[in-house]
């Protein structure tokens, strides 16, 4: 009888704990969404009229975004920024980064085999980086299907990269912010594996830590492979797109056989 009473108390405690945890996660996501909306308010839209309007008529562009935490370059969570830096170096434009207060980030305007390309490194925190992406898309007239997000991926080990054609954020807060701010999930992504933590190391501590000396050797090859894949994607003139803001998942289902193009190093 005592055992049953104890078990009931444990179950009750666990149920209460998980309800509190669920409420915390839900409230955190809701707060992030509110912040996204505030930062993308009407005041920003007003600043884009006039001086920036002519940019929209210059033809179709593609936008490549290196997701990460500004000021924390070199960490696993900011590997997207490292890839973008390697891409800029390959294109010979690494000295052309300049801050753009209208998009809350650093940008480079360049070309990749006649494709007009904007490189973007958001200066906002990862969880609200979608604000910077949406602003850049508006300023340079880039369609969501022409935005390529580069980000870290816990579910792939270091040494693997993959192209994902739209769909859910899969728990990545930076991608979730982009989906929320752009109000669509059609954006293709280059997922760069960083692997999950070993032992008792928390996920948060793992993603905010730097690569070890041994991992740096693997990372160098990963950067080369990532840039090769990005240039290949940017060179494709017939970009895949979805016809409606809600079409990302449906488009991804139609391309199931291409869902992940993985390169193993």
């Amino acid at each position: 009888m005592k055992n049953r009473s104890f078990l009931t108390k444990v179950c009750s405690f666990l149920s209460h704990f998980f309800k509190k945890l669920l409420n915390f996660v839900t409230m955190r996501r809701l707060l992030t969404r509110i912040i996204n909306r505030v930062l993308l308010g009407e005041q920003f839209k007003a600043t884009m009229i006039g001086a920036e309007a002519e940019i929209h008529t210059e033809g179709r562009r593609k936008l490549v975004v290196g997701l990460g935490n500004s000021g924390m370059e070199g960490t696993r969570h900011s590997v997207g920024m490292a890839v973008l830096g390697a891409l800029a170096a390959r294109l010979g434009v690494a000295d052309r980064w300049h801050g753009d207060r209208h998009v809350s980030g650093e940008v480079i305007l360049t070309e990749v085999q006649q494709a007009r390309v904007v490189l973007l490194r958001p200066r906002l925190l990862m969880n609200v980086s979608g604000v910077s992406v949406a602003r850049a898309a508006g300023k340079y007239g880039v369609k969501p299907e022409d935005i390529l997000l580069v980000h870290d991926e816990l579910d792939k080990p270091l040494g693997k990269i993959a192209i994902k054609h739209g769909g859910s954020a899969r728990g990545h807060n930076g991608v979730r912010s982009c989906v929320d701010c752009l109000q669509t999930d059609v954006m293709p992504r280059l997922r760069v594996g960083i692997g999950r933590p070993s032992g008792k190391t928390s996920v948060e501590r793992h993603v905010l830590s730097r690569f070890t000396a041994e991992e740096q050797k693997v990372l160098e090859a990963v950067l080369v492979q990532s840039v090769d894949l990005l240039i290949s994607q940017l060179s494709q003139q017939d970009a895949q797109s979805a016809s409606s803001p809600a079409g990302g998942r449906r488009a991804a289902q139609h391309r199931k056989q291409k869902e992940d193009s993985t390169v193993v190093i």
Side-chain angles (χ1 to χ4, degrees):
M1 191 71 178
K2 290 182 179 180
N3 290 339
R4 182 176 297 177
S5 176
F6 174 74
L7 183 60
T8 301
K9 290 181 179 180
V10 170
C11 291
S12 177
F13 170 79
L14 290 176
S15 176
H16 180 73
F17 171 77
F18 283 115
K19 284 181 180 179
K20 288 287 186 180
L21 181 61
L22 181 61
N23 288 338
F24 172 76
V25 173
T26 302
M27 287 302 298
R28 183 177 178 180
R29 290 182 178 178
L30 178 61
L31 180 60
T32 300
R33 181 165 292 183
I34 292 173
I35 293 174
N36 285 334
R37 289 289 182 264
V38 170
L39 292 177
L40 280 174
E42 293 300 323
Q43 185 176 1
F44 158 70
K45 293 179 181 178
T47 66
M48 301 309 298
I49 299 175
E52 313 299 343
E54 60 186 44
I55 296 178
H56 293 258
T57 64
E58 292 182 0
R60 187 168 183 172
R61 277 195 172 100
K62 298 182 181 181
L63 174 64
V64 186
V65 185
L67 293 179
N69 283 312
S70 180
M72 299 187 68
E73 292 81 359
T75 62
R76 301 171 196 274
H77 211 23
S78 297
V79 73
M81 289 184 169
V83 171
L84 209 63
L87 175 61
R90 175 84 68 87
L91 297 175
V93 295
D95 60 341
R96 286 168 48 185
W97 287 109
H98 64 277
D100 187 332
R101 63 186 181 87
H102 291 301
V103 304
S104 301
E106 296 177 307
V107 300
I108 292 178
L109 274 63
T110 186
E111 291 187 359
V112 177
Q113 296 184 10
Q114 299 183 342
R116 304 169 66 84
V117 177
V118 180
L119 308 183
L120 170 67
R121 294 190 302 202
R123 283 181 174 173
L124 301 175
L125 293 176
M126 178 73 88
N127 289 13
V128 291
S129 55
V131 174
S132 180
V133 177
R135 287 178 173 180
K139 175 174 180 176
Y140 297 108
V142 182
K143 297 180 180 180
E145 58 265 30
D146 290 331
I147 300 174
L148 209 166
L149 307 176
V150 186
H151 65 89
D152 58 302
E153 178 56 59
L154 279 168
D155 291 330
K156 290 190 177 297
L158 179 64
K160 286 189 177 182
I161 60 176
I163 288 289
K164 183 177 186 294
H165 298 284
S168 70
R170 291 191 177 181
H172 193 284
N173 291 329
V175 176
R176 181 182 291 117
S177 177
C178 293
V179 170
D180 181 43
C181 292
L182 294 166
Q183 298 184 40
T184 178
D185 61 4
V186 301
M187 299 78 69
R189 305 102 199 237
L190 173 58
R191 304 159 63 207
V192 183
I194 61 170
R196 288 195 170 273
S198 58
K200 297 182 179 180
T201 304
S202 67
V203 169
E204 182 177 359
R205 183 176 180 181
H206 175 67
V207 299
L208 296 180
S209 66
R210 295 179 178 274
F211 293 100
T212 66
E214 287 299 316
E215 289 173 332
Q216 283 285 353
K217 297 176 182 178
V218 180
L219 181 61
E220 290 178 6
V222 169
L223 294 179
V224 172
Q225 295 282 354
S226 297
V227 170
D228 288 343
L229 191 51
L230 281 176
I231 290 177
S232 173
Q233 291 291 309
L234 293 171
S235 300
Q236 295 176 10
Q237 296 301 318
D238 297 326
Q240 295 175 338
S241 62
S243 58
S244 67
R249 292 181 182 86
R250 290 194 296 271
Q253 289 172 357
H254 288 304
R255 297 189 298 268
K256 189 174 181 180
Q257 70 277 13
K258 298 181 183 178
E259 180 68 17
D260 288 312
S261 304
T262 305
V263 179
V264 183
I265 299 173

